[in-house]
Amino acid sequence: MSAAALGLGRIVRADLRHHRRSLAGVFVAIFVASALVTGLGVLVESGIRGGLAPERYTAADLVVGAAQQVDVPEDLPVPLRERALVPADAAREIAALPGVEAVVADVTVPLAVPGGAVPDAVVEAHPWPATALTGFTLAEGREPAAADEIAVTVGSAHRLGEAVTLAHGGSPATYRVVGVVAAPVAPDRSIPVFLTEDRIADLDPRGGIPHALGVFVDGDPEQAATAIRESFPALVARTGDARGDVEFLDSGAARTLLIAIGSAFVGTCILVALFIVSGTLSLSVQSRRREYALLRAVGATPQQVHALIAREVLAVAALAAVLGLAPGYLLSSVLQSAFVAGGVIPGDFALAVSPLPAAGALLLVLGAAWGAARIAARRPARLDPIEALRESSTGPGPIGLPRVITGIVFAAAGLSVSTVPLVVRGDAAVGASAGAALMLIVALALLGPWLVSLCVRAVGPALRRLSAAGFVAAANTAVGSRRLAAAILPIALGIGLGLVQIGGPAIVSAEAANQARAGVTAQLRVSGPSGLSPDVVEGIRDVSGVDAASGVVVSAAVLDSRDIEGKTVRAEYALQGIDPGTVDGLLDLKVRDGALGALDGDATVAVSTDAAQSLGIRMGDTVTGVFGDGAALDATVVAVYERGLGFGALTMDEAQVRAHTTSGLDSFALVSTEPDAAATVAALEAQGLVVTPASGQKAAGADAVSQQGWVNLVALLVILGYIAIAVVNTLVMATGERSREFALLQLIGASRGQVRATMRTEAILIAAISMVFGVLVAIPPLMGMSYGISGQPIPAMPVLGSLAIIGGMGALALIALRLATGATLRRRPIEEIGSRE
Amino acid sequence: MTSLSSTPLVEAAPAEALRLSGLVKTYGSGSTRVTALRGIDLAIARGSFTAIMGPSGSGKSTLLHSAAGLDRPTSGAVHLGGTEISALKPRQLTAFRRDHVGFVFQAYNLLPALTVEDNITLPLRLGRQPLDPRWLETLLEAVGLNDHRHRRPAELSGGQQQRVAIARALITRPHVVFGDEPTGALDSRTGKQVLDLLAHTAKELHQTVVVVTHDPVVASHADRVIFLADGAFAGHLDGGTPQQITDRMSTLGEW
């Protein structure tokens, strides 16, 4: 043995070996955090680098399209939902660039097969020159030359020379198959057919302006792409796999969503990990308080206590974090499936996998572990040795006055913020509810032990009279209210958070559905597989039995507004197009100011009360932004209506809105009929149209809401899962500490069954108190939001979901204590009582 | 209030190991104020074995804690080995305690995760001081735990654990070793062994030992017994028998 200076390493290693069990909770929490952050990191990276591989643009060297997003200063860009068009002269100018051999314009016109074997089959018609983009070559026949000639792909059911009827927007036309084309790799996502350029220009409501340009170059495609980007900063040029970004509209939106959601989740995960690790660590540290008191007495400085705890935690965390990386990559596929199921991203979106997420996860998770160690070490490091020794025998005293006051302040704040939705509408209301819930949760965390001891004192007398087990349980809980609170608070938190998370969106969508139902006064809703053209809507009016018919377009717009600090905020709003002349009696938006009749052209707009408040505008003000395809929008408010949740935030003249959608067609038509409508329905269906009762209308923007709901659900499951870990760990550790107590009870004469009964009583008490607290925390924000949004004080909660959350979290306590008690009772009492711990 | 400041115990010249001047300790404030120590003056010579006795509530543990630098007095000064520890900042006090004070509690003296050897060398480890292996051997021999150096506290008896605690208290060759009822949790035979050890180190190693106790047998091992009652001195007794000590205690009031 040398005379060299001794270090703390020996103590750290000895502690790790000796206190394995108490650090198990930290291990599990870090392991799960590491897996989650890695999986989410893969999603974020996929948002940046992944996407859909091109299918139809595989033969072109590079593809040029218009920008499909709106930039927002200091924030993620907002994707455009409708296809933005490439300026007409861009093709000519690009063809003039050096190195460019050819430029081919692509237009997509959706056609549907009316009736027939597959009633909803939609094909995409392109101009004949677009065959070059995929490498289609003629296998049989020739290229179409007349307006009624069509070329199909090899896999089609139609043969050369056959007549095919395809409807555009509901109006059918017949074509003759004059050619069959084949490509090296056939597209999967769509069925292409080819018509003459002139026919396409006729059919396309937007006049055949290119959706994208395929460019063929000699030399390096990437160089050419850079040159094009420099010459045309408003256009987007993509090579390689990124060509899929231009081909598929939903790819860009999916990427933005993945980045936004992924990053937000990572933040939440790290915070929750910090919370849970510092919680379980505090328990572990608390159970070793005598040791820390001794260390301080012998002469350890606060820094040395911090260092000891930090090194122990980091040793455990490093191992757990590394082990969690591989499962994290597996988890990313699970998360991907969840998002695909929720309609957030397309099913064939390819993930980008690299070591980056693993590196990022290690950094973040270990950072969180270190942070948690600092928090947990504050207490043992700061106490005076005598205080520490005194405290270690009797346990920490009652919570101090500053904490109680802070808790009451938070509770009051939470209650008052809960009433914000009564005066503010829209997104701010939802945000306020979430904020109120958070404040109440913090109040609960601060006042928890005090509230728990109140409950226990209230319930105690009844418990005492119940049975011997109840008597012991009552005594235990009276003394150990802090220990009880440590278990109750996470469960109550999970319940409160869970109820608010599922309640908020439920309230909004319930009200939206109500509004949609109340506002549609038409009887029928008529649509086609890919939309209705205005001619078809005219034709519907001529069908016998139809009183009135009006076309409706559902799209979106991105509007500018200013936030509190004066920064420009851009957000997407649902935009509805109606025909003010024919919509009376079919749609009731509950107009409060102005009149829908004033909607005319693209410079007038009607807004909902929610949107008016979000944007900070009134009658006569101007809204600025862009339509769904990026074209400038500048309109004056001529009416304000109330049913914004059901029908969308903005309403304009439908001809204007239609001009800025991908297909240029109406989404559906609302039709009112005579009382007995059976014959009318049959007549409409004979035309190849789809007829449904109008009352089944989905609220505008319902898709976006359900996407958000899915995301929230996944986030909620993550958080609840974490809380479950914390709760189980807390209860197992706390029960393990009481092993001598159990031993004593058994030696005195209690049977194992009675000891179990005691613990069961405590478990039921914990579960009951947590459920009550959790529900109480959720009620004010939910009620406020419900009253503000729908005027009903009782929130429309999903019954099954709420019961699942409340019951599931409550059951956690019962299960955890059952397991922990069973484990603790395994040692023989006589051995246990003599143990020196 | 009897003052002993002018009565050195052993031969003249060696500095006092411990001096308390006007030590006062109060808890709480206002109507709930409790005065634990009412102004103690005390000098303890180097190499002596002193016992502080008194009924419960007399303030003896408080006296020990203040003297050892574990607690701050409300007023007055504590000089330990020449340094006025009552004037030190908390960090300096911690370092001083680590390097120059040994302490043996009644129970829970050892870290359960560490071996006997590691428990003994803990103060050196915390102070990043080098270890003299021969000194460690000497101590292990002195406490008779040479064969147990790699055992953990869970594998030792109560008496063995206290002996480890004593060895740890001595490893830094402190100015004073303080003991708070060091034999309180042991049976009489084991307790006597521990006490003999303490007295032996005081003589052999010229170590100053101060113990607090309510047991007259323990006190009889000391060179001098100092009595405390209601936070103030109540006399002293040099080299008394347990019976004498018991009689003296009964005159102090409640046992």
Side-chain angles (χ1 to χ4, degrees):
Chain A
M1 203 176 341
S2 69
L6 306 170
L8 292 178
R10 187 72 89 59
I11 305 182
V12 172
R13 279 193 295 277
D15 272 344
L16 283 174
R17 229 172 306 149
H18 200 257
H19 293 110
R20 259 190 305 252
R21 256 190 348 161
S22 75
L23 290 170
V26 173
F27 184 91
V28 176
I30 297 283
F31 176 80
V32 173
S34 172
L36 274 171
V37 173
T38 307
L40 290 168
V42 170
L43 289 183
V44 171
E45 201 189 352
S46 300
I48 300 173
R49 292 199 308 121
L52 292 162
E55 287 189 346
R56 274 189 315 109
Y57 294 165
T58 43
D61 293 320
L62 62 104
V63 179
V64 174
Q68 278 297 142
Q69 62 189 29
V70 182
D71 289 323
V72 182
E74 291 174 34
D75 204 346
L76 286 171
V78 181
L80 292 171
R81 295 210 176 267
E82 313 286 356
R83 172 68 72 178
L85 299 177
V86 179
D89 44 359
R92 236 179 324 113
E93 292 180 28
I94 292 176
L97 288 178
V100 172
E101 286 177 346
V103 176
V104 176
D106 184 34
V107 183
T108 305
V109 175
L111 300 176
V113 178
V118 187
D120 284 54
V122 175
V123 300
E124 290 185 350
H126 306 277
W128 172 258
T131 46
L133 296 172
T134 323
F136 275 117
T137 48
L138 271 174
E140 292 176 53
R142 58 171 175 82
E143 78 171 73
D148 64 345
E149 294 183 345
I150 189 171
V152 299
T153 55
V154 156
S156 160
H158 303 286
R159 303 267 145 262
L160 199 59
E162 268 185 41
V164 182
T165 309
L166 294 169
H168 176 249
S171 46
T174 311
Y175 305 90
R176 209 161 34 90
V177 179
V178 298
V180 179
V181 293
V185 183
D188 215 12
R189 271 182 150 218
S190 64
I191 306 169
V193 296
F194 299 94
L195 302 170
T196 61
E197 280 178 275
D198 292 334
R199 180 65 180 159
I200 291 286
D202 273 342
L203 283 175
D204 183 21
R206 297 167 92 187
I209 302 177
H211 289 193
L213 300 172
V215 181
F216 297 83
V217 299
D218 67 44
D220 183 18
E222 193 48 54
Q223 268 190 341
T226 318
I228 293 177
R229 278 182 218 125
E230 281 166 21
S231 317
F232 305 92
L235 295 181
V236 157
R238 297 266 183 268
T239 57
D241 270 351
R243 290 172 294 179
D245 269 358
V246 179
E247 183 176 338
F248 301 113
L249 255 187
D250 47 0
S251 175
R255 274 145 136 276
T256 312
L257 258 172
L258 278 179
I259 296 177
I261 297 172
S263 328
F265 267 21
V266 166
T268 308
C269 276
I270 292 294
L271 271 176
V272 174
L274 193 66
F275 173 73
I276 290 187
V277 171
S278 66
T280 52
L281 210 55
S282 294
L283 270 178
S284 163
V285 161
Q286 181 75 355
S287 73
R288 294 160 58 184
R289 53 191 178 273
R290 273 193 231 108
E291 289 176 39
Y292 292 116
L294 186 65
L295 273 168
R296 290 281 289 141
V298 169
T301 59
Q303 286 74 15
Q304 281 173 318
V305 174
H306 269 289
L308 265 176
I309 295 178
R311 284 169 71 164
E312 280 177 34
V313 171
L314 283 176
V316 170
L319 184 64
V322 168
L323 286 179
L325 295 178
Y329 282 100
L330 293 174
L331 189 65
S332 64
S333 341
V334 173
L335 285 172
Q336 182 193 20
S337 311
F339 284 159
V340 168
V344 177
I345 60 175
D348 40 2
F349 193 94
L351 292 182
V353 179
S354 85
L356 271 180
L362 278 176
L363 256 166
L364 284 172
V365 167
L366 288 178
W370 181 83
R374 293 290 304 183
I375 295 174
R378 263 177 42 233
R379 219 153 185 224
R382 259 198 330 208
L383 284 180
D384 251 310
I386 291 302
E387 293 273 349
L389 282 169
R390 214 181 283 137
E391 194 192 275
S392 63
S393 45
T394 57
I399 56 179
L401 195 59
R403 181 167 164 172
V404 172
I405 293 181
T406 318
I408 293 180
V409 166
F410 266 99
L415 285 173
S416 52
V417 173
S418 294
T419 58
V420 164
L422 294 173
V423 292
V424 169
R425 308 236 161 251
D427 289 334
V430 179
S433 287
L438 221 63
M439 281 186 229
L440 288 174
I441 283 170
V442 171
L444 186 66
L446 289 170
L447 295 173
W450 179 68
L451 288 171
V452 167
S453 61
L454 273 183
C455 288
V456 163
R457 247 180 293 167
V459 172
L463 266 184
R464 253 179 255 271
R465 269 182 292 232
L466 198 60
S467 63
F471 184 86
V472 176
N476 280 341
T477 52
V479 164
S481 66
R482 268 224 164 174
R483 169 174 50 83
L484 231 64
I488 287 176
L489 285 179
I491 301 179
L493 223 101
I495 293 177
L497 207 66
L499 288 177
V500 171
Q501 284 275 67
I502 65 170
I507 292 174
V508 171
S509 53
E511 177 60 15
N514 277 344
Q515 287 182 359
R517 218 181 359 253
V520 173
T521 45
Q523 279 79 29
L524 301 174
R525 181 178 192 256
V526 178
S527 57
S530 51
L532 297 175
S533 69
D535 303 327
V536 173
V537 177
E538 279 282 344
I540 291 177
R541 288 198 194 103
D542 295 332
V543 174
S544 73
V546 170
D547 273 349
S550 186
V552 177
V553 190
V554 175
S555 179
V558 178
L559 297 183
D560 296 348
S561 60
R562 294 214 173 274
D563 68 1
I564 306 178
E565 299 156 18
K567 219 171 52 156
T568 307
V569 171
R570 293 205 174 105
E572 190 184 79
Y573 293 85
L575 171 62
Q576 177 183 234
I578 59 170
D579 181 2
T582 56
V583 84
D584 274 342
L586 297 170
L587 204 64
D588 177 15
L589 297 178
K590 219 162 171 210
V591 176
R592 210 175 56 177
D593 290 330
L596 291 178
L599 285 177
D600 182 26
D602 65 351
T604 52
V605 67
V607 299
S608 69
T609 44
D610 294 346
Q613 209 172 59
S614 302
L615 293 164
I617 52 173
R618 280 184 309 223
M619 278 280 290
D621 285 344
T622 323
V623 295
T624 44
V626 295
F627 283 97
D629 66 348
L633 191 163
D634 215 321
T636 318
V637 177
V638 297
V640 179
Y641 56 94
E642 291 187 1
R643 292 198 169 124
L645 279 179
F647 296 100
L650 307 168
T651 301
M652 289 179 77
D653 180 46
E654 54 113 29
Q656 300 307 321
V657 180
R658 232 187 314 127
H660 297 286
T661 58
T662 308
S663 62
L665 300 169
D666 280 338
S667 308
F668 55 86
L670 290 174
V671 176
S672 65
T673 60
E674 319 249 293
D676 179 17
T680 319
V681 171
L684 287 168
E685 284 181 337
Q687 285 185 31
L689 301 171
V690 177
V691 181
T692 51
S695 57
Q697 168 154 339
K698 235 179 5 172
D703 281 333
V705 170
S706 83
Q707 267 182 14
Q708 191 60 38
W710 245 107
V711 170
N712 285 344
L713 192 63
V714 176
L716 184 65
L717 288 175
V718 166
I719 295 178
L720 290 183
Y722 246 141
I723 291 178
I725 295 173
V727 169
V728 171
N729 187 67
T730 305
L731 289 173
V732 167
M733 272 198 60
T735 312
E737 275 212 316
R738 297 162 71 189
S739 56
R740 300 188 76 195
E741 201 185 303
F742 292 174
L744 186 64
L745 278 171
Q746 288 178 76
L747 292 175
I748 292 176
S751 69
R752 292 167 80 108
Q754 278 176 316
V755 175
R756 269 196 261 268
T758 309
M759 292 311 289
R760 201 164 38 236
T761 314
E762 277 191 41
I764 294 176
L765 195 62
I766 291 176
I769 296 181
S770 338
M771 290 197 270
V772 168
F773 279 3
V775 170
L776 282 178
V777 159
I779 284 181
L782 285 176
M783 273 184 66
M785 204 170 144
S786 175
Y787 198 75
I789 287 185
S790 61
Q792 310 267 34
I794 302 180
M797 299 286 299
V799 175
L800 216 59
S802 311
L803 286 179
I805 288 179
I806 299 176
M809 297 299 288
L812 210 56
L814 295 167
I815 296 172
L817 275 177
R818 183 75 170 74
L819 290 172
T821 312
T824 316
L825 282 176
R826 232 171 269 152
R827 278 187 67 182
R828 289 176 54 224
I830 199 72
E831 285 171 13
E832 193 61 49
I833 201 100
S835 72
R836 294 193 189 282
E837 269 303 316
Chain B
M1 271 192 290
T2 326
S3 167
L4 296 163
S5 47
S6 53
T7 331
L9 188 58
V10 222
E11 56 277 0
E16 292 154 341
L18 175 69
R19 168 184 277 282
L20 307 172
S21 321
L23 202 64
V24 174
K25 180 71 183 172
T26 58
Y27 296 103
S29 62
S31 57
T32 57
R33 179 183 305 189
V34 172
T35 309
L37 298 174
R38 291 172 202 284
I40 307 281
D41 294 303
L42 173 62
I44 291 181
R46 210 154 73 80
S48 63
F49 186 162
T50 310
I52 301 180
M53 281 197 76
S56 53
S58 55
K60 50 188 197 293
S61 279
T62 312
L63 179 66
L64 203 70
H65 294 160
S66 296
L70 287 166
D71 203 0
R72 298 198 87 87
T74 312
S75 68
V78 177
H79 291 261
L80 223 169
T83 312
E84 190 186 343
I85 63 172
S86 38
L88 291 179
K89 291 213 199 48
R91 186 175 310 182
Q92 297 163 314
L93 188 58
T94 305
F96 187 87
R97 210 167 52 233
R98 177 189 68 209
D99 298 332
H100 301 296
V101 176
F103 209 96
V104 180
F105 298 105
Q106 182 172 11
Y108 304 123
N109 271 298
L110 309 177
L111 291 179
L114 300 179
T115 59
V116 164
E117 194 172 294
D118 287 336
N119 262 297
I120 293 176
T121 55
L122 187 59
L124 296 178
R125 204 177 280 280
L126 291 173
R128 300 198 172 280
Q129 302 291 345
L131 166 69
D132 180 359
R134 283 169 306 167
W135 177 228
L136 179 61
E137 290 302 314
T138 311
L139 279 179
L140 281 167
E141 284 286 340
V143 300
L145 288 174
N146 227 326
D147 299 329
H148 299 281
R149 63 168 70 195
H150 296 302
R151 295 253 177 98
R152 291 212 163 69
E155 305 159 56
L156 303 174
S157 70
Q160 287 169 326
Q161 287 183 18
Q162 290 303 76
R163 284 190 266 155
V164 174
I166 292 171
R168 186 193 62 221
L170 292 170
I171 190 90
T172 55
R173 284 183 246 248
H175 295 308
V176 183
V177 172
F178 293 95
D180 192 348
E181 308 267 14
T183 58
L186 305 172
D187 65 84
S188 47
R189 196 169 72 89
T190 322
K192 184 172 185 312
Q193 280 176 350
V194 168
L195 275 175
D196 285 340
L197 181 57
L198 274 175
H200 182 73
T201 58
K203 290 286 161 290
E204 292 286 312
L205 303 171
H206 298 295
Q207 189 62 62
T208 315
V209 179
V210 178
V211 301
V212 150
T213 183
H214 66 272
D215 187 345
V217 174
V218 170
S220 65
H221 280 74
D223 303 324
R224 162 171 291 193
V225 181
I226 294 171
F227 296 97
L228 226 57
D230 288 326
F233 270 124
H236 69 102
L237 190 60
D238 292 342
T241 66
Q243 188 54 54
Q244 288 171 317
I245 297 172
T246 311
D247 292 337
R248 189 62 179 276
M249 277 291 294
S250 53
T251 66
L252 291 177
E254 224 190 310
W255 229 145

